[in-house]
Amino acid sequence: MRLNRQSQESELVSGYLKYYYTDELPQWHMSIAKNTAHWWASGNILVNLDCDNYIGSQGGAYVMKAIEQHGYRCVIHQFSGTYGDGSCGRIVVQSKYFDMIGGYDESFDPMGHDDLDLINRLVKTGLQYVSLSDNRFNVAIPNSKEGINSKSYSEMLRYNENISRRNLLEGRLIANAGKFGIRKNIFDHNGKHIPEK
């Protein structure tokens, strides 16, 4: 369902839809951006939907049905199974578990292996891994992964995989010393400063 401008504004005014921004991230960094969005989210269940993904009609109901079917002690991965298609970041988990492991690892390079590292750490804490690969609900828009910084995507991927592997082998499941995301200088759609929570 596509919202028109009037619907979008009414959803923003009601608080159902939240739009926050900050100038605290000088260069795009996937882990920091996702952590910031999840830190400021107010719901019990976090759904990571990358900007190149869309959910499909009734996608929210599909996810909620899966959570109820598998129980809330799970991490749902809506990955198509095709690496590089952009759907690997479709992750659903309760916010308390995301917070417990310190979110995405911000020591990583800007992109690559961040989603799999998050899933692996969540599973190591005892959450059930649930794979949902229904093409109606896990479609991504094809795009290039290059141009993020001076490293190629494959270099960033290898670097992040090595950090993740070492941390898992050594039992380090909590990232960022438990404090993640940008928490200051956050503004809403009207430019109003949002106080730290």
Side-chain angles (χ1 to χ4, degrees):
M1 178 177 100
R2 175 172 279 173
L3 296 176
N4 62 34
R5 187 173 191 80
Q6 186 177 8
S7 294
Q8 290 172 3
E9 288 175 4
S10 68
E11 298 294 354
L12 285 167
V13 169
S14 74
Y16 180 74
L17 175 64
K18 294 180 181 162
Y19 175 87
Y20 293 158
Y21 69 92
T22 184
D23 292 329
E24 291 292 317
L25 188 60
Q27 180 183 351
W28 183 81
H29 192 287
M30 179 127 23
S31 294
I32 298 172
K34 289 179 180 181
N35 279 347
T36 302
H38 292 335
W39 170 253
W40 289 96
S42 57
N44 181 37
I45 298 169
L46 297 173
V47 179
N48 187 72
L49 183 69
D50 291 347
C51 64
D52 58 355
N53 282 233
Y54 51 97
I55 60 171
S57 178
Q58 300 299 311
Y62 173 73
V63 167
M64 287 307 302
K65 182 178 178 185
I67 289 171
E68 290 164 2
Q69 178 184 352
H70 294 283
Y72 286 79
R73 281 195 50 81
C74 67
V75 54
I76 295 175
H77 194 200
Q78 286 186 273
F79 174 45
S80 71
T82 303
Y83 284 97
D85 73 350
S87 67
C88 190
R90 310 271 312 243
I91 300 169
V92 181
V93 68
Q94 276 194 285
S95 58
K96 67 181 180 180
Y97 301 126
F98 186 88
D99 294 350
M100 179 181 73
I101 65 161
Y104 285 90
D105 193 330
E106 295 179 8
S107 74
F108 281 9
D109 274 347
M111 69 183 307
H113 199 69
D114 42 274
D115 297 308
L116 294 177
D117 174 73
L118 179 79
I119 290 169
N120 289 334
R121 288 186 290 119
L122 286 165
V123 169
K124 284 275 192 185
T125 68
L127 295 189
Q128 176 191 5
Y129 175 80
V130 176
S131 175
L132 296 181
S133 58
D134 187 324
N135 289 336
R136 295 173 299 165
F137 306 110
N138 62 357
V139 180
I141 301 164
N143 62 80
S144 167
K145 292 176 170 41
E146 303 299 328
I148 302 302
N149 68 10
S150 60
K151 292 183 182 179
S152 69
Y153 174 72
S154 60
E155 288 172 315
M156 291 186 285
L157 178 66
R158 272 193 308 276
Y159 176 80
N160 293 345
E161 281 179 329
N162 288 335
I163 292 173
S164 177
R165 189 176 302 114
R166 187 169 50 247
N167 286 341
L168 289 170
L169 284 172
E170 296 175 4
R172 287 193 302 264
L173 303 181
I174 299 174
N176 315 305
K179 185 174 180 181
F180 57 86
I182 298 170
R183 301 183 181 198
K184 64 178 185 175
N185 296 326
I186 303 290
F187 301 90
D188 72 7
H189 66 285
N190 288 320
K192 178 183 173 192
H193 181 262
I194 306 299
E196 286 191 55
K197 59 177 188 169

